[in-house]
C-alpha cells in the first residue's frame, strides 16, 4: 500500500466515526498494552541489536515508560475526555460554556532512533486516546526496532485506523506530501524545519520534539559525589544518545578539579577497568554518528577516557577540559558519551554563556544556593529544568515535556499528550430566555449612546464569581434593573 492509499483508508475509518467512542479507544489502548507485555523480550533484543542497549536501560527507559504511560491514560481517560466547563464571565451568567476535546483526524507520528519504541509509541498512545487515526513512522536508523514495530502493531491494533509506514528519507518525503491533520515529530532541529515546511503547505499543526545542547551548572555547595554520579548517569545512559543528556558542564576551575577526581572513581566503580567489556555501556548507532563524535574528541584536551574501537562503534566515556566556546564540540549537539567542561568565573558567566546560544531542551542546575538557582531559572530560557539531577524531570508525567525555540515547540507526556492530540473546540451554549435576550438587546441597531454605555457596563471584566444559585438571583436582579433602566431612559416610567 502506498502512502496515498494508506491515508485514504485511515481517513475513511476516521470519517465513519469508528475511533470516536471511548470504549473503542480504551479497547485499542488495552491491546497496545498487551502488545508490550507479551513482547518485552522481543523489544529488549531489538534494542540490543540496534544500540547495544543493556537490558536494564531497555526495560526501565523504554518498556516501563510505555507501560506506565498507558496505565496512566487508562486510569484517567474518562476524566480527560469530558468537556471542560470553564469559568463564566459575568455577561454569560445565564449561558453554558464548554470546551470539547475533538480529535484532529488522521495524524502522523515520526519517531527518532535513540529511544525507538518510547519516542514513537508514547505519542501514538495519546493520539489513540484522543480518538485519532494514526500513521506511525519509525526511524529507519534503528532498523531492528522499526522491524519489530512494523510486525507487531498490525497484529494487535485495528489496521483500519492505525498503520505503520516504514522507510527512510524518500519514504518520509513522500508521506509528507500528503495532508495530515496533525504531525508529531521527534528528531533533529534540521529535519524539524523540513517537517514544519511540509506541514505549512497544508496548514497542518505540528509538535516538534527536537534537541540541542543542554547545559549543566555545578557549584561547590552540593555533595560532589552525588552530583558527579547524577551528571555522569545522564551523560552515559544510552552512550550519551539521549535528547536531554547533559551536553556540557559549566563550573569553576576548583569544581572542575573535584569533578574529575570523583569521576575517575565513579567510572571505575560502574564499568571496571575496561569499559568496552562492560555489558552496561552502549554503542554508537551507526558509522556516520561514530565518525562525527570521534572528530569532536579533538576539542580541548582529554582528561578522562578518549579511547575508541571503530569496529564496535565504541567510544569510551570521555571528559574534555580546556575547551573553548568556539571548539567543534561546542558547536553542535554531542549526542555521544563525551562531556566537555567549560570553566567560568561565576554564576553570571554561566547565564551569559547559556543565553548566547540556542535555547536548549533541558538545563541542569546543581546547587544548594536557592538564590543562585532562582537567578538561573529566571534569567535563561530552555525546554525544562531539573535541579540537582539530570533527565529525571521527563519521568514526571504531570510535567509537560518539550523544547522551546531551536529545541522544539509543543509538549507532551501524561495528560499533555492527550491534549496535544485534541483540538480544544469551544462552545458557547446561549440561554434563549426573555431576561437573557433583554440583557443583550443593546447589541442590535439602531445604536445610540445609551446602548453603548449599557453594553460597556455589562461587558466590563469583573473578578470571577463562584456563588452557585446566587447567580440566578443576581441575574434576575440585573435583568429587572436593565429593563427598569431601559424604560426609564425612554421616559416611559415617570415619577408620580
Ligand atoms: P533520525 O535520523 O531517526 O530522524 C528522525 C526521523 O526523521 C526519522 O523517522 C527519519 O526517517 C526522519 N527523517 C530524517 N531525515 C529526514 C528528511 N530529510 N526528511 C524527512 N524525514 C527525515 O533521528 P535524528 O534526527 O538523528 O535524531 C537525533 C536528534 O533528535 C537529536 O538532535 C536529538 O536531540 C533529537 N531528539 C529529540 C527528542 C525529544 O524528545 N525532544 C528525543 C530524541 C531525539
Amino acid at each position: 500500500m502506498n502512502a496515498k492509499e494508506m491515508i485514504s483508508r485511515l481517513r475513511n475509518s476516521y470519517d465513519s466515526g469508528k475511533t470516536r467512542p471511548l470504549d473503542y479507544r480504551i479497547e485499542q489502548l488495552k491491546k497496545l498494552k498487551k502488545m508490550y507485555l507479551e513482547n518485552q523480550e522481543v523489544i529488549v533484543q531489538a534494542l540490543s541489536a540496534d544500540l547495544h542497549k543493556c537490558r536494564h536501560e531497555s526495560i526501565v527507559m523504554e518498556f516501563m515508560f510505555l507501560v506506565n504511560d498507558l496505565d496512566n491514560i487508562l486510569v484517567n481517560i474518562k476524566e480527560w475526555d469530558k468537556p471542560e466547563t470553564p469559568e463564566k464571565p459575568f455577561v454569560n451568567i445565564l449561558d453554558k460554556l464548554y470546551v470539547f476535546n475533538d480529535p484532529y483526524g488522521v495524524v502522523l507520528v515520526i519517531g527518532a532512533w535513540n529511544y525507538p519504541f518510547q519516542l514513537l509509541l508514547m505519542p501514538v498512545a495519546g493520539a489513540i486516546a484522543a480518538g485519532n487515526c494514526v500513521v506511525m513512522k519509525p526511524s529507519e536508523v534503528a532498523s531492528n526496532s522499526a522491524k519489530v514495530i512494523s510486525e507487531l502493531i498490525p497484529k494487535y491494533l485495528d489496521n483500519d485506523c492505525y498503520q505503520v509506514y516504514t522507510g527512510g528519507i524518500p519514504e518520509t518525503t513522500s508521506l509528507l506530501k500528503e495532508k495530515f491533520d496533525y504531525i508529531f515529530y521527534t528528531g533533529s532541529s534540521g529535519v524539524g524545519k523540513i517537517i514544519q515546511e511540509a506541514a505549512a503547505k497544508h496548514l497542518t499543526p505540528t509538535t516538534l520534539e527536537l534537541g540541542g545542547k543542554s547545559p549543566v551548572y555545578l557549584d561547590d555547595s552540593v555533595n560532589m559525589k552525588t552530583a558527579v554520579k547524577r551528571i555522569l548517569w545522564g551523560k552515559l545512559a544510552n552512550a550519551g544518545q539521549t535528547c536531554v543528556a547533559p551536553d556540557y558542564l559549566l563550573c569553576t576551575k576548583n569544581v572542575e578539579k573535584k569533578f574529575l577526581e570523583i569521576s575517575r572513581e565513579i567510572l571505575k566503580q560502574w564499568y571496571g577497568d575496561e569499559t568496552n567489556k562492560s555489558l552496561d555501556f552502549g554503542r554508537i548507532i551507526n558509522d556516520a554518528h561514530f565518525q562525527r563524535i570521534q572528530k569532536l574528541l579533538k576539542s580541548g584536551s582529554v582528561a578522562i577516557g578518549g579511547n575508541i574501537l571503530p569496529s564496535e562503534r565504541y567510544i569510551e566515556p570521555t571528559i574534555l577540559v580546556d575547551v573553548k566556546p568556539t571548539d567543534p564540540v561546542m558547536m553542535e549537539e554531542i549526542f555521544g558519551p563525551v562531556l566537555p567542561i567549560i570553566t567560568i568565573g561565576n554564576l553570571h558567566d554561566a547565564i551569559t554563556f547559556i543565553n548566547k546560544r540556542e535555547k536548549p531542551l533541558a538545563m541542569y542546575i546543581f546547587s544548594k544556593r536557592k538564590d543562585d538557582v532562582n537567578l538561573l531559572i529566571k534569567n535563561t530560557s530552555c525546554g525544562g529544568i531539573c535541579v540537582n539531577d539530570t533527565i529525571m524531570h521527563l519521568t514526571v508525567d504531570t510535567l509537560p515535556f518539550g523544547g522551546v525555540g531551536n529545541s522544539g515547540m509543543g509538549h507532551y507526556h501524561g495528560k499533555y499528550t492527550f491534549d496535544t492530540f485534541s483540538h480544544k473546540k469551544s462552545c458557547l451554549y446561549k440561554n434563549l430566555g426573555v431576561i437573557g435576550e433583554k440583557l443583550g438587546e443593546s447589541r442590535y441597531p439602531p445604536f445610540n449612546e445609551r446602548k453603548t454605555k449599557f453594553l460597556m457596563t455589562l461587558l466590563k471584566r469583573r473578578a470571577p464569581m463562584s456563588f452557585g444559585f446566587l447567580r440566578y438571583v443576581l441575574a434576575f436582579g440585573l435583568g429587572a434593573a436593565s429593563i427598569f433602566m431601559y424604560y426609564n431612559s425612554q421616559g416611559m416610567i415617570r415619577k408620580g
Side-chain angles (χ1 to χ4, degrees):
M1 211 182 337
N2 64 29
K4 217 178 240 335
E5 286 161 359
M6 186 184 67
I7 295 160
S8 154
R9 179 176 177 187
L10 265 51
R11 198 161 287 291
N12 285 341
S13 306
Y14 181 76
D15 291 345
S16 75
K18 197 175 186 183
T19 57
R20 296 280 180 142
L22 198 54
D23 286 347
Y24 171 85
R25 292 182 257 155
I26 291 173
E27 182 202 321
Q28 293 299 313
L29 292 167
K30 284 184 176 164
K31 285 185 178 167
L32 193 57
K33 184 175 168 189
K34 191 166 182 270
M35 181 185 102
Y36 297 143
L37 297 180
E38 289 180 355
N39 295 283
Q40 180 183 310
E41 285 317 305
V42 179
I43 292 171
V44 168
Q45 286 307 318
L47 290 167
S48 167
D50 282 330
L51 288 143
H52 197 272
K53 212 178 263 208
C54 65
R55 187 179 162 72
H56 173 88
E57 273 183 23
S58 295
I59 291 179
V60 175
M61 295 170 97
E62 298 247 23
F63 179 80
M64 280 314 295
F65 225 81
L66 287 166
V67 173
N68 283 343
D69 180 59
L70 268 180
D71 283 339
N72 184 39
I73 296 177
L74 287 166
V75 166
N76 292 298
I77 187 168
K78 284 191 182 138
E79 201 50 44
W80 296 347
D81 197 52
K82 280 183 194 159
E84 291 153 39
T85 49
E87 236 167 49
K88 294 182 203 180
F90 180 73
V91 70
N92 297 107
I93 216 147
L94 297 173
D95 309 323
K96 290 176 186 156
L97 302 186
Y98 300 105
V99 180
F100 294 104
N101 291 298
D102 232 17
Y104 277 98
V106 179
V107 305
L108 170 64
V109 180
I110 304 178
W113 53 263
N114 56 333
Y115 290 83
F117 288 91
Q118 191 224 109
L119 295 174
L120 181 77
L121 297 175
M122 208 157 127
V124 164
I128 295 174
N132 299 281
C133 286
V134 189
V135 175
M136 306 160 218
K137 163 63 187 64
S139 171
E140 72 284 10
V141 179
S143 56
N144 294 284
S145 304
K147 186 166 178 284
V148 166
I149 291 167
S150 67
E151 284 168 4
L152 291 182
I153 291 284
K155 286 189 198 155
Y156 286 85
L157 297 188
D158 182 346
N159 292 206
D160 283 338
C161 302
Y162 315 109
Q163 286 277 336
V164 181
Y165 195 77
T166 52
I169 298 175
E171 287 77 10
T172 317
T173 307
S174 71
L175 205 51
L176 287 170
K177 288 196 180 119
E178 303 302 320
K179 181 177 164 36
F180 288 95
D181 300 302
Y182 201 96
I183 299 178
F184 188 106
Y185 170 79
T186 302
S188 63
S189 304
V191 177
K193 287 174 192 161
I194 297 174
I195 305 289
Q196 184 76 337
E197 212 178 311
K201 294 216 168 83
H202 300 287
L203 288 181
T204 300
T206 54
T207 292
L208 300 178
E209 292 287 340
L210 312 176
K213 289 181 83 61
S214 301
V216 185
Y217 171 78
L218 170 67
D219 73 18
D220 59 2
S221 66
V222 292
N223 179 316
M224 200 50 75
K225 200 163 183 173
T226 306
V228 172
K229 277 196 218 167
R230 293 180 181 188
I231 294 168
L232 290 181
W233 170 75
K235 183 77 205 182
L236 301 176
N238 202 25
Q241 300 161 109
T242 304
C243 56
V244 282
D247 190 274
Y248 62 93
L249 174 62
L250 293 167
C251 62
T252 61
K253 204 70 196 161
N254 276 343
V255 171
E256 179 190 79
K257 197 165 162 260
K258 284 187 209 149
F259 185 86
L260 290 172
E261 237 172 71
I262 299 171
S263 292
R264 282 190 191 95
E265 192 187 307
I266 299 292
L267 290 170
K268 197 167 175 167
Q269 264 175 34
W270 285 357
Y271 304 118
D273 287 326
E274 290 174 284
T275 307
N276 61 314
K277 302 245 166 82
S278 165
L279 295 176
D280 297 333
F281 187 68
R283 296 294 183 268
I284 303 305
I285 184 80
N286 59 22
D287 287 335
H289 277 285
F290 177 81
Q291 300 297 344
R292 181 186 61 77
I293 301 165
Q294 191 193 349
K295 284 188 197 133
L296 302 182
L297 294 177
K298 294 191 181 100
S299 300
S301 50
V302 173
I304 294 177
N307 292 312
I308 55 165
L309 286 173
S311 59
E312 293 181 21
R313 297 193 302 277
Y314 163 79
I315 294 182
E316 191 182 8
T318 300
I319 301 179
L320 301 173
V321 293
D322 306 322
V323 175
K324 290 196 285 298
T326 48
D327 282 341
V329 79
M330 291 308 295
M331 304 309 280
E332 61 178 87
E333 183 182 359
I334 298 169
F335 228 53
V338 181
L339 182 71
I341 302 180
I342 301 277
T343 50
I344 45 164
N346 55 41
L347 174 80
H348 295 279
D349 291 348
I351 293 173
T352 309
F353 193 91
I354 293 165
N355 286 340
K356 269 194 183 155
R357 280 154 184 80
E358 294 283 9
K359 294 175 182 180
L361 184 56
M363 183 173 73
Y364 303 112
I365 308 167
F366 285 79
S367 177
K368 274 169 122 177
R369 297 184 185 115
K370 283 192 181 142
D371 287 348
D372 287 1
V373 172
N374 286 336
L375 213 63
L376 257 163
I377 293 176
K378 288 199 177 130
N379 291 290
T380 54
S381 177
C382 62
I385 294 175
C386 187
V387 179
N388 295 329
D389 211 331
T390 62
I391 299 188
M392 294 305 288
H393 59 304
L394 72 81
T395 64
V396 185
D397 61 21
T398 45
L399 287 175
F401 175 70
V404 58
N406 206 56
S407 56
M409 58 181 76
H411 46 246
Y412 73 128
H413 286 193
K415 184 177 186 296
Y416 295 102
T417 318
F418 180 88
D419 287 340
T420 286
F421 287 103
S422 306
H423 164 60
K424 300 284 169 187
K425 187 165 75 179
S426 61
C427 174
L428 166 63
Y429 206 127
K430 281 294 280 185
N431 176 287
L432 268 174
V434 184
I435 295 175
E437 181 55 12
K438 201 78 227 165
L439 274 171
E441 232 166 32
S442 300
R443 70 181 149 150
Y444 303 135
F447 301 125
N448 56 36
E449 196 57 21
R450 179 196 53 78
K451 282 187 174 179
T452 309
K453 277 195 183 136
F454 179 71
L455 271 189
M456 280 170 72
T457 312
L458 198 64
L459 296 174
K460 192 173 159 49
R461 288 296 302 180
R462 294 164 176 87
M465 292 170 292
S466 56
F467 37 72
F469 76 95
L470 263 178
R471 65 176 191 257
Y472 295 105
V473 176
L474 196 82
F476 178 77
L478 195 73
S482 67
I483 293 166
F484 178 81
M485 272 167 62
Y486 181 78
Y487 285 115
N488 199 19
S489 67
Q490 301 283 311
M492 293 177 74
I493 298 176
R494 297 179 203 289
K495 279 183 193 163

